[in-house]
Amino acid sequence: MKTPPTQRAIRAIKPSAGLRDEYEARLLKLVNAISDDLSKSIKKAYDKNEPLIAQDALPSDVFRILFNRKRKEWMERFEKESKDFAEWFASSELKHFMRANRSALKSAGLNGLAVGFTTGNVTKDVLKAIVNENVTLIRSIGEQYLNDVEGLVMRSVTRGGDLKTLAENLAKRYDITKKRAMFIARDQNQKATQSLAMANAKESGLTRGKWIHVPGRKSSRESHKRMNGKIFDLDKGLYDSEVKQWVKPGELPGCNCQFQLIYDTDLWKS
């Protein structure tokens, strides 16, 4: 859909690939650390109790004590690192957005005079939401991984399983956790950028946007392909028939869509 002649569009703000890569690297470093530590601790306990495991003598208390200790140790670390991580990410995302926004305004011929970035209450609320969501997600990686690994170990022990099979199952679980961490890095980077763009638009008094469909790595939502180029109310979004709700660019999991801000040329005639 073409933008009416009395209106202009400010180019979409894209998420930072560099910030996404750094987010992913930091998160995977934490995932690798917990994986290595648990693997070594499990192997040590398994080797020590292998005769009992083979006899189905249920040395489950040994592993229960081990996981109680590791859970306390690692959740304290995830609690601290998730807060530091989330605050770093929100701050870095804000800096990226401010630079990208100034560049977009300059390209639109506004030179940052008519519409500028202001950190008002809406933006401050969005930054708080970014921090809180990332703290929750990062912490959940540790919680879920600990639960999954403990489940694999306890089932192996009670069934008299061998260490080789357990190691293979642990490797599969690590791959699942790694992929989830990589998805979170991509998804949060996109969500944060689009959320800040929406907040800036609201504080600048702009109310409309043009949906820009950006294909995913492996797939794209058919409903979002049909949304491409449509003008929408920034407060409302567009109706997504696939999920049967109103959505905004980047809101749904894995959505890479962006938007261009629309403004009336009459407002800047002077």
Side-chain angles (χ1 to χ4, degrees), residues 5 62 65 68 96-97 99 104 120 123 136 156 233 244 256 262:
V62 172
I65 292 170
N68 285 342
H96 159 70
F97 179 81
R99 290 193 298 268
T123 299
T136 299
S156 176
D233 186 316
K244 295 180 172 52
N256 293 312
I262 303 298

Side-chain angles (χ1 to χ4, degrees), residues 4-23:
T6 57
Q7 297 177 350
R8 297 279 179 85
I10 302 171
R11 75 174 181 225
I13 305 298
K14 299 178 181 179
S16 166
L19 183 55
R20 177 202 63 212
D21 291 345
E22 188 171 357
Y23 188 120

Side-chain angles (χ1 to χ4, degrees), residues 16 23 134 147 152 190 203 251:
S16 166
Y23 188 120
N134 279 269
N147 288 338
L152 287 171
Q190 160 70 351
E203 290 177 339
E251 184 176 349

